[in-house]
Amino acid sequence: MSNIVSIARTGALTRRDPRRLDLFRKTVGKELRGDEIDEAIEWCELYGANPFVKDIYFFVFDADKKDKRRVVPVLGIGLYRKIAARTGNYRPDDAPPRFAYDEALKDKTNPTGMVWCEVSVNVYSHGAWHKVASRLKWEERAPIKEIWDNGKPTGTFRLDPKKENWHRMPETMMAKCCEADAIRRAWPNETAGSYVTEEMDSAHTIEATAVEIAEGYASEQRMKQIGAANSLLIQWDANGPIVQVPVGQFGDRAIEWIRANADESGAVQLWAERNRFALREYWARDAAGAFEVKKVLEPIISQAE
């Protein structure tokens, strides 16, 4: 009975309220189908969430692909704080978020040159208060997208222009991501399986489905058979062979090649276009390393445009 009372006090959407269920189905949950509505209510009851006050959102991915369509619950930062507060052992940090900047990092992907953001929360455990901190790098959460030209990827990246808040208030967006991450660290059971809305702007925060994991495993096994599981295929020169380069060496070797050919910006631009798929895969495998390559590559390509 106490659990029912607890849920009721939060204003959470539950199966016990047919009127609000019908309203949910017609309004904020109108994009959901059949079993997806049942799933959404499960999440609302689990987190004690009220979707009508934007405690929780439900993002539908691969909506047009029957076999891959999936729903991901996304929590507002306010709900994270509520969940932590309900435990009775939560205290927000009395210090503001901390940031580090580097002027050299300022570019189209990072307008402020932010290196990292750190936020802490306090949890009471074993008779004492403990600080739990989360420090995230800018490239780990910022919605950085590759620029496409005439339907083709260019190998050049920028901060997604559609994500206006990341342009207008990047510190606020990063602080929310860090706070949510800190709360998940401090209360993993209460926040299991959740994301905060700001994290959804960056595609790499979403976990793969079981089908995607299985497909990835099969692909990895095929790559192992040809000795390329931990390598990238690259063609350094236009008329040269395609060779395998270990992921751990790719960034240094790419930067070395780019700098050696810096006087021929047109050739560097063609190199980036020729190896765009390898560069994109490197970004997925090592975002920090790819970011260093990008910093060297973009100024040279801009000279050829």
Side-chain angles (χ1 to χ4, degrees), residues 4-65:
I4 295 174
V5 172
S6 176
I7 290 175
R9 286 178 178 173
T10 66
L13 183 62
T14 75
R15 293 174 177 79
R16 301 177 183 85
D17 193 338
R19 182 188 65 80
R20 294 175 75 220
L21 284 175
D22 185 54
L23 182 62
F24 173 77
R25 180 175 59 86
K26 294 177 180 177
T27 56
V28 294
K30 63 183 179 181
E31 301 297 326
L32 304 180
R33 305 172 181 173
D35 292 344
E36 294 172 351
I37 294 178
D38 290 333
E39 180 183 355
I41 305 307
E42 286 285 347
W43 288 116
C44 287
E45 293 185 343
L46 175 65
Y47 294 131
N50 182 352
F52 298 108
V53 297
K54 300 182 179 180
D55 271 350
I56 191 169
Y57 307 82
F58 296 98
F59 286 16
V60 179
F61 290 89
D62 296 317
D64 299 327
K65 300 177 182 178

Side-chain angles (χ1 to χ4, degrees), residues 134-210:
S134 170
R135 177 183 292 186
L136 296 174
K137 295 179 180 178
W138 170 259
E139 62 268 22
E140 290 179 319
R141 288 297 184 271
I144 298 171
K145 297 193 68 174
E146 185 174 13
I147 299 174
W148 286 58
D149 184 28
N150 294 323
K152 296 182 179 179
T154 63
T156 302
F157 297 84
R158 66 178 176 182
L159 193 62
D160 190 343
K162 295 181 180 179
K163 308 298 183 181
E164 295 182 1
N165 285 342
W166 283 91
H167 291 265
R168 292 191 298 106
M169 47 184 187
E171 284 83 3
T172 298
M173 302 298 281
M174 277 297 293
K176 288 182 178 180
C177 292
C178 286
E179 184 179 358
D181 188 57
I183 291 175
R184 282 196 297 264
R185 289 168 180 259
W187 294 277
N189 291 331
E190 291 83 354
T191 58
S194 66
Y195 302 95
V196 71
T197 51
E198 289 72 19
E199 292 176 300
M200 300 302 289
D201 291 326
S202 178
H204 57 257
T205 62
I206 306 302
E207 295 179 355
T209 63

Side-chain angles (χ1 to χ4, degrees), residues 68 208-224 229 281 285:
K68 293 188 176 182
T209 63
V211 171
E212 291 166 339
I213 292 172
E215 290 176 348
Y217 175 79
S219 175
E220 181 179 347
Q221 295 306 304
R222 289 193 296 270
M223 295 294 282
K224 283 182 177 180
E281 185 174 353
R285 293 195 185 194

Side-chain angles (χ1 to χ4, degrees), residues 85-135:
R86 288 174 201 152
T87 66
N89 59 1
Y90 160 76
R91 190 180 71 199
D93 196 6
D94 55 3
R98 282 78 67 193
F99 300 93
Y101 298 91
D102 183 346
E103 286 290 323
L105 295 181
K106 284 188 176 181
D107 62 9
K108 294 180 181 179
T109 68
N110 191 346
T112 64
M114 188 187 303
V115 180
W116 52 258
C117 171
E118 182 179 87
V119 174
S120 301
V121 295
N122 297 285
V123 58
Y124 191 81
S125 178
H126 302 289
W129 286 99
H130 303 274
K131 190 178 293 292
V132 178
S134 170
R135 177 183 292 186

